[in-house]
């Protein structure tokens, strides 16, 4: 279980330090949890932050409730369970309340939860009743005001729409195939991209390529916080500034409704200056990921950017 939680953290592209900042606990607490020590209270915070949910116990609105319901399903009292796990009865009661030590939890799991595993993450989608035009949702003007404050007027919107609120000098109009913005060069000082979420990775790769070619100086992207791709770990966390936004943005639909995303959102910014980032950080509520280091040549295979993009 602890190995799976660590893997879930890494799959989200979170270092121990970034995760600690995200949930507001010392980094050393993350280290202790992953080593099988520390407090259950911190473990529960980590599980929520990395989207780790348990299968193989019982139903319950949270992990402690699942432990309690598992005991009840087995027909055990708290004292019976304590004897089975080699714990004091009040320790079992504390664990079922979301308190106690990881060492005690592992003993309890060995007694009543040997088949525990990670429940497969559920990929969130927009409202099922409104899937038509799911890629036509516009960034609200109040969020764009933060972008203008930090970066000035946008030179080019590469996934534009006539009804969108982006103030820019030029735009590529996005059609359902998304061909224009992906095919044309992004020749601008500052580029804005709120791409179709159904093909997010193509647009992030394109943004990186345009900055590498020096067609665009700065590209600001607003995308779902999906961090499972190799490109995110090997390129984005190394070369871009990433802000995990707190809360959910309410995008505007073509029929003028406000619709909250069913998933987290992040900003991915290539080529920003320190002054621009400082101004943006003063306006938005987000956790900024520290830049990762490229892999040491002596320990693992080192891939060039061209090889990564070709995969």
């Amino acid at each position: 279980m602890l190995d799976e939680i660590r893997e879930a953290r890494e799959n989200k592209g979170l270092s121990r330090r970034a995760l600690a900042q995200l949930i507001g606990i010392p980094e050393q607490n993350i280290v202790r949890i992953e080593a099988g020590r520390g407090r259950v209270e911190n473990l529960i915070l980590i599980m929520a932050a990395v989207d780790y949910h348990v299968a193989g116990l019982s139903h319950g609105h949270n992990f402690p409730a699942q432990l309690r319901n598992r005991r009840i399903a087995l027909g055990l009292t708290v004292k019976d369970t304590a004897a089975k796990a080699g714990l004091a009865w009040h320790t079992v009661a504390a664990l079922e309340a979301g308190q106690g030590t990881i060492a005690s939890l592992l003993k309890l799991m060995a007694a009543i939860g040997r088949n525990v595993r990670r429940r497969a993450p559920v990929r969130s989608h927009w409202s099922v009743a409104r899937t038509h035009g799911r890629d036509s949702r516009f960034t609200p003007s109040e969020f764009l005001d933060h972008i203008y404050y930090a970066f000035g007027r946008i030179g080019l919107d590469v996934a534009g729409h006539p009804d969108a609120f982006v103030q820019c000098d030029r735009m590529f109009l996005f059609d359902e195939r998304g061909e224009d913005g992906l095919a044309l060069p992004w020749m601008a000082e500052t580029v804005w991209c709120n791409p179709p979420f159904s093909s997010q990775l193509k647009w992030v790769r394109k943004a990186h390529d345009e900055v590498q070619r020096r067609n665009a100086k700065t590209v600001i992207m607003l995308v779902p916080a999906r961090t499972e791709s190799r490109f995110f770990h090997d390129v984005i966390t190394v070369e871009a500034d990433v802000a995990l936004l707190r809360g959910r943005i309410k995008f505007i639909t073509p029929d003028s409704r406000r619709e909250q995303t069913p998933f987290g959102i992040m900003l991915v910014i290539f080529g920003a200056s320190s002054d621009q980032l400082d101004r943006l950080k003063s306006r938005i509520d987000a956790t900024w990921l520290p830049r990762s280091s490229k892999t040491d040549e002596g320990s693992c295979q080192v891939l060039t950017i061209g090889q990564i993009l070709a995969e």
Side-chain angles (χ1 to χ4, degrees):
M1 177 180 171
L2 296 180
D3 287 341
E4 289 182 338
I5 291 173
R6 176 187 52 76
E7 183 179 355
R9 170 182 64 76
E10 293 173 347
N11 287 342
K12 277 194 168 290
L14 292 171
S15 66
R16 293 187 181 95
R17 178 178 299 177
L19 177 57
Q21 292 172 347
L22 184 63
I23 62 180
I25 65 175
E27 181 182 354
Q28 185 60 29
N29 287 359
I30 308 291
V31 176
R32 288 173 58 80
I33 293 292
E34 293 184 355
R37 303 189 300 275
R39 303 290 301 177
V40 170
E41 298 93 313
N42 290 330
L43 175 67
I44 292 172
L45 290 174
I46 293 169
M47 291 169 67
V50 302
D51 195 26
Y52 183 94
H53 303 281
V54 169
L57 275 177
S58 294
H59 294 295
H61 67 280
N62 58 26
F63 180 53
Q66 287 178 284
L67 288 174
R68 179 178 181 275
N69 292 340
R70 174 63 175 170
R71 171 181 61 76
I72 293 172
L74 292 173
L76 298 173
T77 66
V78 171
K79 290 185 177 180
D80 292 336
T81 305
K84 187 177 179 68
L87 298 168
W89 71 265
H90 54 80
T91 300
V92 173
L95 292 170
E96 291 184 358
Q99 301 171 356
T101 66
I102 299 298
S104 296
L105 175 64
L106 293 177
K107 289 183 179 180
L108 179 62
M109 297 287 283
I112 67 170
R114 293 184 180 180
N115 294 324
V116 164
R117 62 193 180 281
R118 184 183 186 185
R119 191 177 75 207
V122 177
R123 184 174 289 273
S124 300
H125 298 278
W126 295 99
S127 171
V128 174
R130 304 178 47 161
T131 54
H132 179 69
R134 64 189 182 276
D135 284 332
S136 295
R137 285 174 170 82
F138 313 133
T139 309
S141 57
E142 59 268 23
F143 185 86
L144 288 166
D145 287 341
H146 303 322
I147 302 301
Y148 306 143
Y149 176 79
F151 297 95
R153 185 175 175 85
I154 301 299
L156 175 64
D157 180 359
V158 293
H161 189 284
D163 297 330
F165 305 104
V166 181
Q167 298 174 20
C168 60
D169 297 327
R170 294 184 300 129
M171 71 169 60
F172 297 150
L173 291 178
F174 169 70
D175 60 24
E176 287 302 318
R177 295 171 300 175
E179 291 178 346
D180 290 342
L182 289 175
L184 296 172
W186 297 359
M187 306 294 293
E189 182 87 1
T190 304
V191 173
W192 169 258
C193 184
N194 174 17
F197 291 170
S198 61
S199 54
Q200 167 185 341
L201 187 55
K202 291 181 182 179
W203 289 83
V204 179
R205 288 176 181 268
K206 171 72 170 177
H208 175 264
D209 188 48
E210 291 299 310
V211 172
Q212 290 288 302
R213 294 174 183 269
R214 302 185 182 225
N215 291 335
K217 181 178 180 181
T218 306
V219 178
I220 308 126
M221 308 193 74
L222 187 64
V223 293
R226 291 173 183 155
T227 60
E228 66 271 20
S229 73
R230 183 173 184 175
F231 188 80
F232 178 86
H233 291 273
D234 292 349
V235 178
I236 293 176
T237 60
V238 175
E239 301 187 26
D241 293 288
V242 179
L244 303 176
L245 302 183
R246 294 181 185 271
R248 304 285 174 86
I249 293 179
K250 290 186 177 180
F251 287 84
I252 314 300
T253 65
D255 56 359
S256 300
R257 300 187 185 207
R258 284 183 174 264
E259 190 168 279
Q260 181 173 281
T261 59
F263 38 72
I265 295 291
M266 65 183 177
L267 280 168
V268 175
I269 306 171
F270 293 100
S273 70
S274 58
D275 288 343
Q276 289 171 330
L277 292 174
D278 287 343
R279 288 195 293 270
L280 187 58
K281 289 176 181 179
S282 73
R283 294 288 291 262
I284 65 170
D285 189 10
T287 296
W288 292 81
L289 299 186
R291 292 282 187 99
S292 300
S293 300
K294 293 191 177 182
T295 307
D296 292 336
E297 212 171 320
S299 57
C300 296
Q301 180 186 9
V302 177
L303 300 178
T304 67
I305 294 299
Q307 288 172 319
I308 295 169
L309 293 174
E311 291 185 358

